[in-house]
Amino acid sequence: SCTASRTLAEGKESGKCARLLWHKLHHSNYEKYPRLGIELHFLSTYNYLKSKMGFTLIKGTFHVKGYSPDGDSVKFKARTKANWLKVRGNVKLNSKSHAQLRFEAIDTLETHYGRRHQPDQFAHGAMHSLLNELGITGVKWNSNMTRVTQANDGTKGYILCREAERYGRPVAFAFKGDTDLVDGSSVWFDETLLKQSMNYHLVDEGMAYVTYYTGLFDDLRCAMTVGYISAKCGKKGIHAQDKTESGFI
């Protein structure tokens, strides 16, 4: 509706205000040459905004062999292990130095949920969409479809991440391939980059619901919401049979 569109636009502009201030300070000399008291105040503001808004870019590889990937969860190995120290919280790594990612802002149906499963065509559809986009091929499962036994994985990619949640999973936006951006650097994350992420891809294909927690910037949240509404209106993927208010049959 017009009201919904206006609210999204206002939220997007609100998010841009703080982020543009961060951007301006980031490209100024305040950090190196705090000459006046007012500049010391700007430096304090800059450091605060940087700590809250900066996403760390971590390059590495995606892995599924021996695991049970979902549409919004996959193992990732950082090229430089020390980059995990730039993420708030304690990242949990297994013996292979693989971290279990939790995709930011989205939720897909589970392929395994205790002894129950959610609608297979959408749960597995989201997973296959993710693996295809990441370039992971030749995936074979064990007899009860709970673990990948063979796959051409280890494909290159990178993530943008700020923190790990309480279970040690990095909350991240995931990307395929390589980038000219520097590994381990703090990245200005905008709508253009967002739309290259696996997170946005799954929403745009109608394979994921949006799920927001506090801390995701308004302009990114609005961009995700617009993509979600577009997929829903077009009845793409899960939206063709969505019955979230009455339940699946």
Side-chain angles (χ1 to χ4, degrees):
S1 67
C2 293
T3 301
S5 298
R6 184 166 60 252
T7 301
L8 286 173
E10 289 172 352
K12 192 171 184 179
E13 288 305 312
S14 174
K16 280 184 177 179
C17 289
R19 283 159 61 72
L20 286 174
L21 174 59
W22 183 93
H23 187 64
K24 183 176 181 180
L25 292 171
H26 182 66
H27 289 87
S28 70
N29 289 324
Y30 295 135
E31 195 166 25
K32 293 183 178 180
Y33 308 107
R35 295 182 296 273
L36 302 174
I38 188 66
E39 291 179 341
L40 287 172
H41 172 70
F42 282 151
L43 175 60
S44 176
T45 302
Y46 163 69
N47 285 333
Y48 173 77
L49 290 173
K50 183 177 180 181
S51 69
K52 295 297 182 182
M53 294 187 170
F55 279 81
T56 298
L57 185 145
I58 302 177
K59 296 184 179 183
T61 49
F62 295 102
H63 301 266
V64 298
K65 187 177 179 180
Y67 304 122
S68 300
D70 276 322
D72 56 6
S73 182
V74 68
K75 295 285 188 180
F76 180 80
K77 182 177 182 178
R79 179 190 299 178
T80 304
K81 192 174 180 179
N83 280 338
W84 290 126
L85 299 176
K86 300 179 180 181
V87 173
R88 295 196 301 272
N90 298 314
V91 175
K92 183 178 180 180
L93 303 177
N94 64 16
S95 59
K96 297 179 179 179
S97 294
H98 294 172
Q100 180 71 52
L101 299 182
R102 195 190 93 186
F103 283 14
E104 174 85 80
I106 70 169
D107 187 29
T108 65
L109 299 188
E110 305 291 336
T111 53
H112 308 99
Y113 192 74
R115 293 185 178 181
R116 302 178 180 180
H117 64 80
Q118 297 175 349
D120 278 334
Q121 68 186 101
F122 300 117
H124 285 95
M127 178 193 65
H128 290 313
S129 180
L130 173 64
L131 299 187
N132 286 338
E133 279 296 301
L134 292 177
I136 296 174
T137 61
V139 178
K140 294 184 179 181
W141 296 77
N142 60 359
S143 58
N144 55 354
M145 293 288 291
T146 58
R147 183 172 58 87
V148 174
T149 59
Q150 184 177 329
N152 300 317
D153 59 359
T155 55
K156 290 183 179 181
Y158 58 99
I159 64 171
L160 291 178
C161 179
R162 289 181 298 174
E163 62 184 350
E165 38 93 291
R166 61 177 177 169
Y167 298 111
R169 297 178 298 180
V171 182
F173 287 90
F175 301 80
K176 64 181 178 181
D178 205 349
T179 175
D180 292 333
L181 297 171
V182 178
D183 189 22
S185 64
S186 183
V187 171
W188 173 257
F189 191 19
D190 60 13
E191 183 177 337
T192 300
L193 190 53
L194 169 71
K195 290 184 176 181
Q196 298 173 33
S197 69
M198 297 298 100
N199 311 51
Y200 186 87
H201 165 75
L202 288 162
V203 167
D204 185 58
E205 289 294 310
M207 289 296 176
Y209 293 101
V210 287
T211 304
Y212 302 130
Y213 297 92
T214 56
L216 184 64
F217 311 132
D218 289 344
D219 53 334
L220 299 181
R221 187 184 299 224
C222 287
M224 290 288 286
T225 301
V226 169
Y228 177 78
I229 292 173
S230 176
K232 187 176 180 66
C233 290
K235 296 191 178 298
K236 297 172 67 174
I238 197 171
H239 302 298
Q241 299 182 40
D242 181 62
K243 297 180 180 179
T244 51
E245 294 184 1
S246 59
F248 279 99
I249 295 178

mmCIF file of all heavy atoms in Angstrom, residues 66-84:
data_model
loop_
_atom_site.group_PDB
_atom_site.id
_atom_site.type_symbol
_atom_site.label_atom_id
_atom_site.label_comp_id
_atom_site.label_asym_id
_atom_site.label_seq_id
_atom_site.Cartn_x
_atom_site.Cartn_y
_atom_site.Cartn_z
ATOM 1 N N GLY A 66 29.978 -34.017 5.083
ATOM 2 C CA GLY A 66 29.993 -34.433 6.481
ATOM 3 C C GLY A 66 29.037 -33.650 7.354
ATOM 4 O O GLY A 66 28.953 -33.890 8.561
ATOM 5 N N TYR A 67 28.290 -32.739 6.737
ATOM 6 C CA TYR A 67 27.384 -31.873 7.493
ATOM 7 C C TYR A 67 25.944 -31.974 6.981
ATOM 8 O O TYR A 67 25.664 -32.688 6.020
ATOM 9 C CB TYR A 67 27.857 -30.420 7.396
ATOM 10 C CG TYR A 67 29.275 -30.205 7.860
ATOM 11 C CD1 TYR A 67 30.238 -29.660 6.993
ATOM 12 C CD2 TYR A 67 29.678 -30.538 9.151
ATOM 13 C CE1 TYR A 67 31.545 -29.446 7.417
ATOM 14 C CE2 TYR A 67 30.986 -30.338 9.587
ATOM 15 C CZ TYR A 67 31.917 -29.793 8.710
ATOM 16 O OH TYR A 67 33.201 -29.588 9.118
ATOM 17 N N SER A 68 25.062 -31.214 7.628
ATOM 18 C CA SER A 68 23.649 -31.167 7.238
ATOM 19 C C SER A 68 23.254 -29.723 6.945
ATOM 20 O O SER A 68 22.668 -29.041 7.799
ATOM 21 C CB SER A 68 22.769 -31.728 8.356
ATOM 22 O OG SER A 68 23.098 -33.073 8.637
ATOM 23 N N PRO A 69 23.584 -29.228 5.772
ATOM 24 C CA PRO A 69 23.277 -27.825 5.450
ATOM 25 C C PRO A 69 21.783 -27.590 5.291
ATOM 26 O O PRO A 69 21.022 -28.485 4.927
ATOM 27 C CB PRO A 69 24.011 -27.614 4.126
ATOM 28 C CG PRO A 69 24.040 -28.973 3.497
ATOM 29 C CD PRO A 69 24.219 -29.928 4.638
ATOM 30 N N ASP A 70 21.374 -26.374 5.584
ATOM 31 C CA ASP A 70 20.008 -25.914 5.349
ATOM 32 C C ASP A 70 20.068 -24.752 4.367
ATOM 33 O O ASP A 70 21.162 -24.343 3.946
ATOM 34 C CB ASP A 70 19.353 -25.451 6.652
ATOM 35 C CG ASP A 70 18.743 -26.592 7.450
ATOM 36 O OD1 ASP A 70 18.180 -27.515 6.843
ATOM 37 O OD2 ASP A 70 18.829 -26.531 8.684
ATOM 38 N N GLY A 71 18.920 -24.187 4.075
ATOM 39 C CA GLY A 71 18.897 -23.044 3.170
ATOM 40 C C GLY A 71 19.526 -21.799 3.758
ATOM 41 O O GLY A 71 19.955 -20.915 3.026
ATOM 42 N N ASP A 72 19.574 -21.712 5.089
ATOM 43 C CA ASP A 72 20.118 -20.516 5.733
ATOM 44 C C ASP A 72 21.276 -20.837 6.672
ATOM 45 O O ASP A 72 21.558 -20.093 7.604
ATOM 46 C CB ASP A 72 19.020 -19.777 6.497
ATOM 47 C CG ASP A 72 18.330 -20.669 7.530
ATOM 48 O OD1 ASP A 72 18.771 -21.826 7.740
ATOM 49 O OD2 ASP A 72 17.338 -20.218 8.130
ATOM 50 N N SER A 73 21.950 -21.965 6.413
ATOM 51 C CA SER A 73 23.032 -22.364 7.307
ATOM 52 C C SER A 73 24.020 -23.255 6.570
ATOM 53 O O SER A 73 23.637 -24.238 5.938
ATOM 54 C CB SER A 73 22.449 -23.124 8.514
ATOM 55 O OG SER A 73 23.452 -23.488 9.412
ATOM 56 N N VAL A 74 25.302 -22.890 6.656
ATOM 57 C CA VAL A 74 26.333 -23.660 5.967
ATOM 58 C C VAL A 74 27.661 -23.437 6.689
ATOM 59 O O VAL A 74 27.840 -22.430 7.376
ATOM 60 C CB VAL A 74 26.434 -23.220 4.475
ATOM 61 C CG1 VAL A 74 26.974 -21.801 4.364
ATOM 62 C CG2 VAL A 74 27.256 -24.187 3.659
ATOM 63 N N LYS A 75 28.564 -24.376 6.547
ATOM 64 C CA LYS A 75 29.881 -24.254 7.178
ATOM 65 C C LYS A 75 30.792 -23.371 6.324
ATOM 66 O O LYS A 75 30.733 -23.396 5.092
ATOM 67 C CB LYS A 75 30.531 -25.630 7.337
ATOM 68 C CG LYS A 75 29.799 -26.581 8.285
ATOM 69 C CD LYS A 75 30.016 -26.218 9.738
ATOM 70 C CE LYS A 75 29.435 -27.310 10.648
ATOM 71 N NZ LYS A 75 29.610 -27.001 12.077
ATOM 72 N N PHE A 76 31.659 -22.625 7.017
ATOM 73 C CA PHE A 76 32.557 -21.693 6.344
ATOM 74 C C PHE A 76 33.923 -21.735 7.016
ATOM 75 O O PHE A 76 34.029 -21.753 8.237
ATOM 76 C CB PHE A 76 31.981 -20.276 6.425
ATOM 77 C CG PHE A 76 32.812 -19.213 5.763
ATOM 78 C CD1 PHE A 76 32.759 -19.033 4.387
ATOM 79 C CD2 PHE A 76 33.635 -18.384 6.509
ATOM 80 C CE1 PHE A 76 33.515 -18.046 3.773
ATOM 81 C CE2 PHE A 76 34.390 -17.400 5.908
ATOM 82 C CZ PHE A 76 34.331 -17.216 4.527
ATOM 83 N N LYS A 77 34.966 -21.764 6.189
ATOM 84 C CA LYS A 77 36.338 -21.746 6.706
ATOM 85 C C LYS A 77 37.011 -20.451 6.272
ATOM 86 O O LYS A 77 37.120 -20.160 5.081
ATOM 87 C CB LYS A 77 37.136 -22.939 6.177
ATOM 88 C CG LYS A 77 38.563 -22.996 6.726
ATOM 89 C CD LYS A 77 39.298 -24.237 6.241
ATOM 90 C CE LYS A 77 40.706 -24.298 6.841
ATOM 91 N NZ LYS A 77 41.423 -25.519 6.406
ATOM 92 N N ALA A 78 37.451 -19.669 7.236
ATOM 93 C CA ALA A 78 38.115 -18.401 6.934
ATOM 94 C C ALA A 78 39.506 -18.650 6.367
ATOM 95 O O ALA A 78 40.231 -19.530 6.830
ATOM 96 C CB ALA A 78 38.224 -17.552 8.197
ATOM 97 N N ARG A 79 39.871 -17.883 5.343
ATOM 98 C CA ARG A 79 41.212 -17.981 4.770
ATOM 99 C C ARG A 79 42.252 -17.595 5.819
ATOM 100 O O ARG A 79 43.315 -18.221 5.923
ATOM 101 C CB ARG A 79 41.325 -17.056 3.559
ATOM 102 C CG ARG A 79 42.703 -17.063 2.905
ATOM 103 C CD ARG A 79 42.835 -15.954 1.863
ATOM 104 N NE ARG A 79 41.862 -16.119 0.784
ATOM 105 C CZ ARG A 79 41.746 -15.260 -0.229
ATOM 106 N NH1 ARG A 79 42.519 -14.165 -0.271
ATOM 107 N NH2 ARG A 79 40.866 -15.457 -1.172
ATOM 108 N N THR A 80 41.937 -16.573 6.580
ATOM 109 C CA THR A 80 42.822 -16.113 7.649
ATOM 110 C C THR A 80 42.086 -16.268 8.971
ATOM 111 O O THR A 80 41.167 -15.501 9.287
ATOM 112 C CB THR A 80 43.228 -14.639 7.443
ATOM 113 O OG1 THR A 80 43.830 -14.495 6.153
ATOM 114 C CG2 THR A 80 44.203 -14.187 8.510
ATOM 115 N N LYS A 81 42.495 -17.249 9.752
ATOM 116 C CA LYS A 81 41.790 -17.588 10.988
ATOM 117 C C LYS A 81 41.719 -16.411 11.958
ATOM 118 O O LYS A 81 40.737 -16.236 12.683
ATOM 119 C CB LYS A 81 42.490 -18.780 11.643
ATOM 120 C CG LYS A 81 41.719 -19.431 12.773
ATOM 121 C CD LYS A 81 42.435 -20.682 13.239
ATOM 122 C CE LYS A 81 41.700 -21.362 14.374
ATOM 123 N NZ LYS A 81 42.410 -22.608 14.811
ATOM 124 N N ALA A 82 42.755 -15.588 11.957
ATOM 125 C CA ALA A 82 42.806 -14.453 12.887
ATOM 126 C C ALA A 82 41.700 -13.434 12.641
ATOM 127 O O ALA A 82 41.383 -12.626 13.529
ATOM 128 C CB ALA A 82 44.173 -13.768 12.786
ATOM 129 N N ASN A 83 41.083 -13.466 11.468
ATOM 130 C CA ASN A 83 40.011 -12.515 11.178
ATOM 131 C C ASN A 83 38.793 -12.717 12.073
ATOM 132 O O ASN A 83 37.998 -11.790 12.274
ATOM 133 C CB ASN A 83 39.598 -12.606 9.706
ATOM 134 C CG ASN A 83 40.548 -11.861 8.791
ATOM 135 O OD1 ASN A 83 41.265 -10.967 9.213
ATOM 136 N ND2 ASN A 83 40.575 -12.253 7.524
ATOM 137 N N TRP A 84 38.634 -13.917 12.614
ATOM 138 C CA TRP A 84 37.515 -14.161 13.519
ATOM 139 C C TRP A 84 37.627 -13.302 14.776
ATOM 140 O O TRP A 84 36.613 -13.014 15.429
ATOM 141 C CB TRP A 84 37.445 -15.636 13.910
ATOM 142 C CG TRP A 84 37.029 -16.561 12.807
ATOM 143 C CD1 TRP A 84 37.697 -17.669 12.368
ATOM 144 C CD2 TRP A 84 35.828 -16.506 12.016
ATOM 145 N NE1 TRP A 84 37.014 -18.289 11.348
ATOM 146 C CE2 TRP A 84 35.861 -17.603 11.109
ATOM 147 C CE3 TRP A 84 34.743 -15.633 11.976
ATOM 148 C CZ2 TRP A 84 34.842 -17.841 10.187
ATOM 149 C CZ3 TRP A 84 33.728 -15.874 11.051
ATOM 150 C CH2 TRP A 84 33.781 -16.969 10.174
#
